[in-house]
Amino acid sequence: MRRHHEGRGEGSGRVRGAARTATALVAALALAATVAGCGSGEAEEGTGEEVALRLVAPEYGDSAENSSKGYWKRVVAGFEKGHPGTTVDVEVHPWRTVDKVLARQVATGNAPDLAISGTYASYAADGKLYRADDLLSIGTQADFLPPLARAGEIQRVQYGMPFAASTRLLFYNRDLFEEAGLTPPKTWDGVRTAAEALKKRDVPYPYALPLGPEEAQAETLNWLLSGGSGYTDDLGSYTLDSPENVETVGWLKEELVGEGLTGPTPPGELDRADAYAAFAKGRVGMVNGHPSLMRAAERSGVRYGVAPVPGRTEEAGATLGVTDWMIGFRQAGHPEEAGAFLDHVYSEKNVLAFTRAHDLLPVTHTASDTLAAAPGDTTLRRFLTELPEARLYPSEKTSWPELSTRIKSGLADAVAPGGSPKAVLSRLQRHAAAYENPQAGNG
């Protein structure tokens, strides 16, 4: 299959491949009389060499029923059937460790052909990645939803290919709300009022605020966006200590955490997975959640509703969007075969299969249009409608992984007793500046 950016690695790969084939053919003819019976069971050099691709991927499932291993087994089987001579081995690792496993493989010179990761910028900056147009056909690359494709670019060149996406909505327990005579809140004041009513009815977590180290950066950004700011401004500069952000975190500290409306576990010790598990047990009144929480709640028989994330004075204009990145490493040197596999992965059929298996959002126009028109998937479509205006992490910045780690470990200090939102956010801003410009120091 021809890629449409052949000048970066692919053409030279074909030249080298042709040279190897010619050399092998001469050697084979010279030795034919004495080794005529040898080589059975091996691919012959002149008929196309066997290529074994390797993909490192995270586990998206939460049970044996929807394990990612089953999904990839079906996708690989379909690809290998139509591409004899190319095999694909998929390593599935837990999300908590997959990026570390990948970093270790790259550092030791054993980079896979492809990987799904939460980051791509550092690998791209080090020259380790193929451009998306080195790998993908024109049709596949053009099918990505534009906001997601742009988020995978560095200086207008796409290296990160969106693989799975999600947005956030406010989940609320319908039974608890109906018993308390509540309707879904549209503003922060509404969140506080509803949480107070739920607390009076002994709901353990009126509003679950997961600022623990698992995913504090997500909950934090959701609130910062609803307060009118975020991690960066429209030009991409970090703005962690903006007045709006200081006010937002101050409101959380005084109006929710300080009033005992976030439950018995301190926010800094509450991970997202634990908050979702508590919601699925009926112990949470409200929590910001992504689509996979639907399945957990349904499995436990919890009646839930979803609503737009509340804003400071009205419904928030933007919500958090998250995408994971498919990336291709140059080290392995199989852009043609890796590209053919990616075209297969991003077919409408396979994108929809992944979406429905894991309650995540499709990243392509074709799959999104099909999902939007389907008679089912009603709640999933609510998340899909948020995607065009969603704000993503600044993944194009090489500084983001380190800053994200700082947010995970330190943001919760701002809402703890005696904590200072301004001091914590200013410290994070100094770290952000230092990561952007190492010569400036870390403050």
Side-chain angles (χ1 to χ4, degrees):
M1 178 178 296
R2 282 188 74 199
R3 306 290 122 190
H4 62 286
H5 191 84
E6 296 181 359
R8 297 181 64 88
E10 179 184 325
S12 60
R14 283 199 298 268
V15 172
R16 289 192 298 270
R20 288 196 300 269
T21 300
T23 301
L25 183 58
V26 170
L29 291 173
L31 297 175
T34 57
V35 295
C38 299
S40 60
E42 297 181 4
E44 294 182 14
E45 293 280 350
T47 60
E49 61 184 35
E50 296 281 339
V51 173
L53 300 176
R54 186 161 59 90
L55 166 65
V56 172
E59 175 59 80
Y60 285 93
D62 58 4
S63 66
E65 176 187 355
N66 69 338
S67 171
S68 295
K69 293 179 181 179
Y71 168 79
W72 286 115
K73 182 177 181 180
R74 292 186 292 273
V75 169
V76 168
F79 173 76
E80 290 180 349
K81 182 177 180 180
H83 296 79
T86 303
T87 60
V88 184
D89 177 52
V90 182
E91 300 175 17
V92 177
H93 300 274
W95 255 121
R96 285 180 176 270
T97 61
V98 65
D99 281 340
K100 294 179 181 178
V101 169
L102 177 61
R104 183 169 60 249
Q105 291 183 0
V106 173
T108 58
N110 188 35
D113 296 88
L114 300 166
I116 299 170
S117 174
T119 183
Y120 69 86
S122 295
Y123 294 127
D126 290 341
K128 296 183 182 298
L129 300 184
Y130 286 113
R131 299 161 52 126
D133 54 8
D134 286 331
L135 301 173
L136 301 174
S137 65
I138 294 175
T140 297
Q141 190 173 6
D143 199 25
F144 289 134
L145 296 173
L148 304 184
R150 287 194 296 270
E153 294 178 352
I154 298 177
Q155 297 181 346
R156 299 183 181 275
V157 176
Q158 185 180 0
Y159 295 95
M161 295 164 278
F163 178 74
S166 67
T167 55
R168 298 295 193 271
L169 291 173
L170 180 72
F171 279 74
Y172 62 94
N173 185 306
R174 283 187 177 275
D175 288 333
L176 296 178
F177 265 60
E178 290 172 5
E179 291 167 4
L182 299 171
T183 57
K186 296 183 178 181
T187 65
W188 292 357
D189 286 344
V191 171
R192 182 187 57 210
T193 299
E196 290 171 343
L198 294 168
K199 182 181 179 181
K200 290 178 181 178
R201 301 182 69 87
D202 296 324
V203 175
Y205 293 88
Y207 179 89
L209 184 67
L211 295 179
E214 179 191 359
E215 204 183 45
Q217 82 283 3
E219 182 72 10
T220 300
L221 183 52
N222 237 349
W223 280 96
L224 300 186
L225 292 172
S226 73
S229 188
Y231 290 143
T232 59
D233 60 19
D234 292 339
L235 298 178
S237 299
Y238 283 118
T239 56
L240 280 91
D241 60 350
S242 69
E244 295 88 350
N245 287 346
V246 172
E247 185 177 346
T248 296
V249 178
W251 189 90
L252 287 173
K253 172 180 167 58
E254 301 298 330
E255 304 295 335
L256 285 187
V257 181
E259 295 297 323
L261 301 177
T262 55
T265 304
E269 299 175 16
L270 183 66
D271 280 336
R272 182 204 64 182
D274 296 329
Y276 285 11
F279 186 87
K281 294 177 181 177
R283 293 168 51 81
V284 173
M286 297 171 283
V287 65
N288 285 329
H290 59 56
S292 68
L293 183 53
M294 297 187 301
R295 182 171 302 202
E298 290 165 358
R299 189 183 297 135
S300 301
V302 171
R303 293 178 62 240
Y304 67 90
V306 295
V309 173
R312 186 191 304 273
T313 57
E314 58 185 15
E315 293 180 5
T319 187
L320 167 66
V322 176
T323 186
D324 304 323
W325 303 106
M326 178 75 77
I327 50 181
F329 286 90
R330 288 181 170 278
Q331 181 186 330
H334 300 299
E336 191 77 10
E337 294 81 4
F341 179 63
L342 290 178
D343 284 341
H344 178 71
V345 168
Y346 284 110
S347 68
E348 180 183 347
K349 174 183 176 182
N350 286 327
V351 171
L352 284 173
F354 179 85
T355 294
R356 288 172 170 148
H358 301 294
D359 289 327
L360 291 169
L361 302 180
V363 298
T364 63
H365 283 292
T366 51
S368 296
D369 291 345
T370 298
L371 181 64
D377 302 315
T378 303
T379 305
L380 198 57
R381 287 204 298 270
R382 292 283 301 276
F383 289 90
L384 187 61
T385 60
E386 300 285 333
L387 193 55
E389 301 299 325
R391 292 278 296 275
L392 280 70
Y393 300 132
S395 301
E396 75 283 0
K397 290 178 172 290
T398 57
S399 57
W400 170 242
E402 290 180 289
L403 180 60
S404 176
T405 299
R406 288 279 185 179
I407 294 170
K408 292 176 183 179
S409 63
L411 190 283
D413 293 343
V415 300
S420 168
K422 182 173 179 57
V424 170
L425 290 172
S426 295
R427 183 171 67 243
L428 289 171
Q429 179 69 20
R430 291 194 298 271
H431 283 302
Y435 294 143
E436 288 281 89
N437 180 14
Q439 285 73 33
N442 64 12

